[in-house]
């Protein structure tokens, strides 16, 4: 793509009307949840019933499970994670964050694998469209099936989180510290004002650059920065930094703080996992190592507007599928 084409493309994306809903990566919520569940077993045992449970049709046909991967995956558990952003009159909403949580028992690892939300993929009954549309069309059932069929996975369960949770989580933890760069300050304050207007929350602008202590609404603004620096790539990097700070903070909370945090978070979660499954998996949040990845990798996809006028991330699905399978099941990186 030429430099002029890139400039035109970026200008078009900047001029698109901003959505009036919160969009933040789900890892910032799910990953810290796994930690606090593991450190507060007796608390969560009594409170886990607050989570909204949803049954899935677990037949192989209904979930599109890859039989070969199911046979070889006794030590690999994959769970779909969806960060859903919907208006009051929507039944499902779109999964603006789609990830796979891998519990690798043989290697004592937890992996969070994110997939670009604008991925151009086949969705049963709807042709090729955006990956995040699958949740809107058929809820978690179709969204899980879409992941399994396109990427040869063995997902049988899901966790869904409402995006409005993030500021509440961070405020309940007492805020987090982040290093604000010179070129980020103006944009982060714009997003803080925008987010506060949508949620009705009070706010303070970030006063300067360097290390700053951020409230929940300020951290949300920081995660939403997009059109400065290296675009979406750096946006993802900011979200990982927020995740790391949430991990650090979660591990330092006392039981009273944990209790408050759990009360704040659980009502925003829907899952097909049973209470015993949640408790069993959550204990691995502190004993297992943790890592993240994103697919397709940089250089393996091409963003473009297609004939319907919408923006998509277009890539070779088989190539990306193989990269994901090597990472999730073999713990190797088969890409450069």
């Amino acid at each position: 793509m030429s430099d002029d084409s890139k400039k035109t493309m970026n200008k078009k994306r900047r001029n698109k009307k901003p959505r009036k809903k919160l969009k933040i990566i789900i890892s910032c919520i799910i990953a810290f949840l796994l930690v606090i569940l593991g450190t507060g077993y007796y608390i969560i045992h009594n409170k886990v019933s607050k989570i909204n449970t949803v049954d899935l049709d677990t037949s192989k046909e209904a979930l599109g499970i890859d039989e070969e991967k199911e046979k070889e995956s006794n030590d690999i558990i994959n769970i779909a994670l969806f960060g859903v952003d919907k208006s009051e009159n929507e039944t499902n909403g779109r999964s603006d964050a789609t990830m796979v949580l891998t519990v690798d028992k043989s290697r004592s690892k937890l992996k969070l694998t994110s997939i670009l939300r604008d991925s151009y993929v086949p969705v049963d009954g709807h042709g090729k469209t955006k990956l995040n549309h699958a949740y809107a069309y058929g809820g978690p059932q179709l969204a899980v099936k879409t992941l399994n069929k396109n990427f040869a996975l063995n997902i049988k369960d899901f966790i869904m989180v409402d995006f409005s949770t993030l500021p509440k989580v961070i405020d309940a933890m007492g805020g987090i510290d982040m290093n604000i760069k010179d070129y980020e300050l103006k944009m982060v304050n714009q997003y803080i004002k925008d987010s506060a207007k949508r949620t009705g929350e009070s706010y303070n602008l970030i006063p300067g650059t360097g290390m700053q202590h951020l409230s929940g609404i300020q951290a949300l603004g920081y995660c939403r920065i997009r059109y400065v620096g290296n675009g979406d790539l750096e946006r993802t990097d900011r979200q990982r930094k927020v995740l790391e700070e949430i991990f650090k903070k979660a591990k330092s909370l006392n039981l009273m703080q944990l209790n408050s945090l759990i009360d704040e978070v659980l009502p925003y979660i829907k899952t097909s996992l049973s209470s015993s499954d949640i408790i069993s998996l959550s204990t691995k949040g502190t004993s297992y190592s943790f890592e993240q990845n994103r697919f397709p990798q940089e250089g393996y996809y091409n963003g473009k507007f297609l004939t319907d006028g919408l923006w998509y991330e277009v890539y070779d699905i088989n190539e990306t599928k193989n990269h994901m399978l090597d990472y999730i099941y073999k713990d190797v990186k088969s890409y450069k």
Side-chain angles (χ1 to χ4, degrees):
M1 183 182 294
S2 68
D3 290 340
D4 289 341
S5 297
K6 289 181 180 179
K7 290 178 181 177
T8 301
M9 175 188 71
N10 289 333
K11 183 177 180 180
K12 287 181 179 179
R13 299 192 74 182
R14 283 195 295 269
N15 289 337
K16 293 170 70 178
K17 183 178 180 180
R19 296 185 63 191
K20 295 183 178 180
K21 309 166 190 172
L22 304 179
K23 293 181 181 180
I24 235 25
I25 199 73
I26 196 172
S27 61
C28 295
I29 301 168
I30 292 298
F32 98 87
L33 178 63
L34 292 171
V35 173
I36 64 172
L37 289 177
T39 57
Y41 176 88
Y42 292 105
I43 295 176
I44 198 62
H45 184 73
N46 294 323
K47 293 177 178 289
V48 75
S49 61
K50 292 184 178 181
I51 297 178
N52 300 307
T53 57
V54 177
D55 293 330
L56 292 181
D57 180 346
T58 56
S59 65
K60 292 180 182 178
E61 181 179 353
L63 287 180
I65 293 175
D66 185 89
E67 294 188 11
E68 290 301 316
K69 281 294 170 285
E70 188 175 34
K71 292 177 182 178
E72 67 179 62
S73 60
N74 290 333
D75 291 326
I76 302 289
I77 300 171
N78 289 312
I79 301 169
L81 309 179
F82 302 113
V84 174
D85 191 11
K86 68 184 183 72
S87 62
E88 293 182 1
N89 60 353
E90 287 181 305
T91 301
N92 294 314
R94 295 173 180 172
S95 56
D96 284 323
T98 299
M99 304 186 75
V100 177
L101 169 65
T102 298
V103 182
D104 187 337
K105 295 186 286 186
S106 64
R107 300 178 180 90
S108 298
K109 279 187 176 183
L110 291 177
K111 297 177 182 176
L112 276 175
T113 301
S114 62
I115 306 169
L116 293 177
R117 64 180 189 136
D118 291 335
S119 294
Y120 189 51
V121 299
V123 176
D124 272 11
H126 300 278
K128 292 194 75 171
T129 184
K130 292 189 179 187
L131 176 65
N132 70 343
H133 288 180
Y135 200 100
Y137 293 143
Q141 187 79 49
L142 182 58
V144 169
K145 184 177 184 180
T146 300
L147 289 174
N148 284 336
K149 291 193 70 173
N150 281 291
F151 303 108
L153 297 171
N154 63 335
I155 301 171
K156 296 180 180 178
D157 288 292
F158 80 97
I159 300 172
M160 186 280 283
V161 177
D162 188 312
F163 276 135
S164 61
T165 304
L166 185 65
K168 302 177 190 300
V169 168
I170 293 175
D171 285 338
M173 300 174 75
I176 58 173
D177 295 326
M178 297 302 300
N179 185 32
I180 307 299
K181 298 174 183 177
D182 292 344
Y183 59 83
E184 295 173 330
L185 184 60
K186 181 179 179 180
M187 186 65 71
V188 70
N189 280 331
Q190 289 178 1
Y191 275 116
I192 290 169
K193 288 189 286 188
D194 180 66
S195 298
K197 182 178 179 179
R198 297 171 185 178
T199 61
E201 295 184 38
S202 59
Y203 68 93
N204 290 310
L205 298 180
I206 298 174
T209 58
M211 194 61 67
Q212 302 288 331
H213 188 71
L214 306 187
S215 67
I217 200 72
Q218 289 173 333
L220 176 60
Y222 177 76
C223 286
R224 294 179 65 204
I225 296 174
R226 194 170 200 171
Y227 299 118
V228 295
N230 195 11
D232 278 340
L233 188 63
E234 194 165 348
R235 182 180 186 227
T236 303
D237 183 54
R238 293 185 192 97
Q239 292 162 352
R240 285 197 296 267
K241 290 177 182 177
V242 169
L243 172 62
E244 291 170 4
E245 291 306 308
I246 288 175
F247 260 112
K248 292 176 184 177
K249 259 308 187 56
K251 290 181 178 180
S252 67
L253 298 180
N254 58 42
L255 288 180
M256 184 177 296
Q257 291 170 321
L258 280 173
N259 185 54
S260 174
L261 188 55
I262 291 169
D263 281 338
E264 196 74 66
V265 173
L266 293 190
Y268 292 90
I269 297 173
K270 290 183 180 180
T271 184
S272 59
L273 293 167
S274 67
S275 298
S276 58
D277 288 335
I278 293 171
I279 293 172
S280 174
L281 290 171
S282 67
T283 57
K284 297 174 174 58
T286 52
S287 61
Y288 280 25
S289 61
F290 173 78
E291 61 184 63
Q292 304 178 66
N293 211 331
R294 186 205 69 187
F295 293 95
Q297 288 287 308
E298 189 71 18
Y300 287 91
Y301 65 94
N302 181 29
K304 61 175 65 175
F305 289 99
L306 297 185
T307 54
D308 59 2
L310 297 179
W311 174 266
Y312 296 92
E313 306 294 356
V314 181
Y315 52 88
D316 185 324
I317 294 178
N318 284 328
E319 181 181 51
T320 293
K321 176 186 70 176
N322 291 331
H323 291 168
M324 287 179 60
L325 294 179
D326 285 341
Y327 174 69
I328 290 174
Y329 289 94
K330 300 178 183 179
D331 202 35
V332 298
K333 297 178 180 179
S334 56
Y335 48 86
K336 296 182 179 179

